[in-house]
Structures are given as structure tokens and as C-alpha cells.
Amino acid sequence: MFFKQLEYKLKLKGGIFVQIPAKNTSRACHVCGYVDKENRKTQAEFKCIHCGHTENADVNAAKNIRRAGLAQIARQVNCNSSQQREAIEA
């Protein structure tokens, strides 16, 4: 119910709602992309065992979620523009 309300409110304000699955967002390094449960040994600290990047775990996860959301929006835009070109060409 929360997400439905959030989506509704965003549409009223001209925003875009994108829901990203949380799986591995806190275990993946936003710098190199390496995913491992050992990257996050504590609740607050993230340290990539592959590249050595360190950051607050929540900040690292937020950057991963942001990247995934922007990628999803880009795919939707590309898909819509392809459909529009096909309609014009038809």
C-alpha cells in the first residue's frame, strides 16, 4: 500500500516512481561491482574485499539503488522512443 501511495503522489508532482529490488544492494561495491557477503561484515561499514573501497554501508547501497533506478528509467525511455519510431515508420 505504501508504494502505491508513493507512486500516486509522485505522479501528481510530475515525478517518476521506480521500485528496485533490494537484493545485494548492500553487498555490492558501487565502485567495482563485486558482490560478496564479506563486503559488509557490520551493519554500518562496507569494505570491498575485491578493490578495497570503503564507505558507509547505507551510502554504498543507496548509490547502487540509484544506479539501478537510472538504468531502469533509461531502458524505459529507449523502449518508448523505439516504439515511437516504429509507429512513425509504419
Side-chain angles (χ1 to χ4, degrees), residues 5 12 14 18 23 25 28-29 36-37 42-43 46 49 51 61 70 76 78-79 82 85-86 89:
Q5 283 289 73
L12 283 177
V18 179
K23 184 176 182 179
T25 56
C29 177
D36 195 299
K37 67 179 181 178
T42 70
Q43 182 67 28
F46 178 91
I49 62 173
C51 74
L70 292 173
Q76 290 172 350
N78 288 335
C79 180
S82 294
R85 273 184 269 147
E86 289 172 4
E89 293 170 359

Side-chain angles (χ1 to χ4, degrees), residues 30-73:
H30 87 274
V31 173
C32 72
Y34 186 75
V35 179
D36 195 299
K37 67 179 181 178
E38 294 298 313
N39 285 345
R40 189 171 178 181
K41 290 186 178 182
T42 70
Q43 182 67 28
E45 295 179 36
F46 178 91
K47 182 174 182 182
C48 180
I49 62 173
H50 185 255
C51 74
H53 171 72
T54 60
E55 189 165 28
N56 176 281
D58 291 336
V59 172
N60 181 73
K63 290 177 180 179
N64 288 328
I65 292 167
R66 178 180 184 266
R67 178 181 290 148
L70 292 173
Q72 185 172 330
I73 291 169

